[in-house]
Amino acid sequence: MPMLASLVLVLLCLARAAIAGSACPQPLRIGFNDTASPPGLMGQGTSFANPPGWEVVAVREALKRLGCTAELLRLPNRRLSVSLAQDQIDIALLFGITAERMRDLRFPLDAKGRPDVAWAPVFGHLALFGRGDIAMEPGWDGRRLPPGLRVGVLAGSVQEAIARERGWTVELVNLLDSEFTMLQARRFDLLLTPREILSAEQRAGFVEWTPVVAKLPYFAPASPQLAQDHPDWARSFWRELCQAVRRLEPEIRPVECGLVPTAVWLRDS
């Protein structure tokens, strides 16, 4: 009888652990950048526009399918990542992969412990943009730049990681919405930024260098505490978010979730 009681106790503990892993975390806080990046994220500052953009719609759809509710917040770019790393928010959109983020945040991982690109909800095209007075370098192949050209990159971003990896001369940009103003003011010669976040107005008067520098996966990483306490729920949310983006914006998620598009850049590739 004592052995039976012990077995029952173990089974109850396992059942409680399974429920804790998949139940909706509460409170649940999901963060977005406070700078607009149409059409994915609309409105500036702490409020969402109406409509809010497909990023917000996709998150709401994923939460609905999981039967969960969450507080949706908007924060400045640096504060967003710091708040996530410090467990002040639970999920944040959207982040590319850097060594620092892999250390501080929690991403879906594949069997080799790398970010699982098969479940990245968004793929973007990282491109160089220049003023009209700088001609695209003959023979530009997406990698090699002539010496002397300065490239503006958002500080702490995957753009910075790629530019430094390739040995380019880097000028840091601290505010996301100041990139093109700084380019126009000749603070640097070229701007490295995701094509998809730019409005037609931002791109007017600038020249995109082709081919693109890289095709990048973007994720909605979790805080360390959420990933530890609710690992099953985190995986379910990543799955539902990917599928929601695929339904809403098939050009942004160009293949079915669970599959990897071709020619995707990761830091160790």
Side-chain angles (χ1 to χ4, degrees):
M1 184 66 72
M3 290 183 62
L4 179 59
S6 297
L7 179 60
V8 170
L9 182 59
V10 169
L11 292 174
L12 284 173
C13 290
L14 290 174
R16 287 170 184 161
I19 291 171
S22 58
C24 298
Q26 288 298 320
L28 179 59
R29 300 146 299 187
I30 299 180
F32 299 80
N33 205 292
D34 69 346
T35 300
S37 52
L41 187 59
M42 308 292 284
Q44 294 283 137
T46 58
S47 301
F48 294 99
N50 186 19
W54 59 258
E55 289 182 31
V56 180
V57 175
V59 166
R60 288 173 175 166
E61 282 195 11
L63 291 170
K64 183 177 180 180
R65 293 177 73 89
L66 292 170
C68 299
T69 59
E71 180 183 8
L72 305 189
L73 306 168
R74 299 191 70 174
L75 299 169
N77 185 63
R78 284 192 171 183
R79 186 179 165 197
L80 186 64
S81 56
V82 170
S83 297
L84 187 62
Q86 295 179 350
D87 302 308
Q88 296 168 1
I89 57 176
D90 303 296
I91 299 280
L93 283 73
L94 287 160
F95 287 93
I97 296 296
T98 66
E100 181 181 18
R101 290 170 183 169
M102 283 294 294
R103 183 188 69 227
D104 296 339
L105 312 178
R106 300 297 179 264
F107 294 82
L109 301 178
D110 63 17
K112 295 182 179 179
R114 301 173 303 185
D116 194 348
V117 177
W119 293 100
V122 169
F123 292 91
H125 296 82
L126 200 61
L128 282 173
F129 290 85
R131 299 181 303 273
D133 61 342
I134 296 184
M136 189 169 70
E137 186 68 17
W140 163 247
D141 62 357
R143 296 190 66 88
R144 290 183 291 274
L145 281 177
L149 288 180
R150 300 162 301 155
V151 179
V153 292
L154 184 66
S157 67
V158 68
Q159 295 95 279
E160 181 184 356
I162 291 178
R164 293 193 185 281
E165 178 187 88
R166 297 185 180 178
W168 298 349
T169 301
V170 167
E171 297 287 342
L172 296 180
V173 178
N174 291 314
L175 297 175
L176 181 63
D177 54 359
S178 66
E179 292 178 312
F180 277 92
T181 301
M182 293 175 68
L183 176 60
Q184 186 66 60
R186 301 176 184 273
R187 295 282 297 277
F188 38 77
D189 304 300
L190 299 166
L191 172 65
L192 182 62
T193 194
R195 176 200 293 160
E196 286 78 9
I197 72 170
L198 306 178
S199 66
E201 292 76 15
Q202 287 174 309
R203 294 174 67 171
F206 297 99
V207 177
E208 179 181 345
W209 285 29
T210 55
V212 297
V213 172
K215 185 188 295 182
L216 295 178
Y218 288 90
F219 295 85
S223 70
Q225 195 67 54
L226 179 82
Q228 176 181 303
D229 294 347
H230 300 273
D232 294 339
W233 186 89
R235 285 190 290 270
S236 296
F237 176 80
W238 288 326
R239 182 182 65 246
E240 294 295 347
L241 178 63
C242 181
Q243 292 172 347
V245 174
R246 173 69 179 159
R247 289 190 297 269
L248 291 166
E249 296 289 332
E251 291 185 1
I252 297 294
R253 172 72 215 193
V255 299
E256 293 296 334
C257 295
L259 301 176
V260 179
T262 59
V264 174
W265 181 92
L266 279 176
R267 187 173 180 82
D268 61 355
S269 62

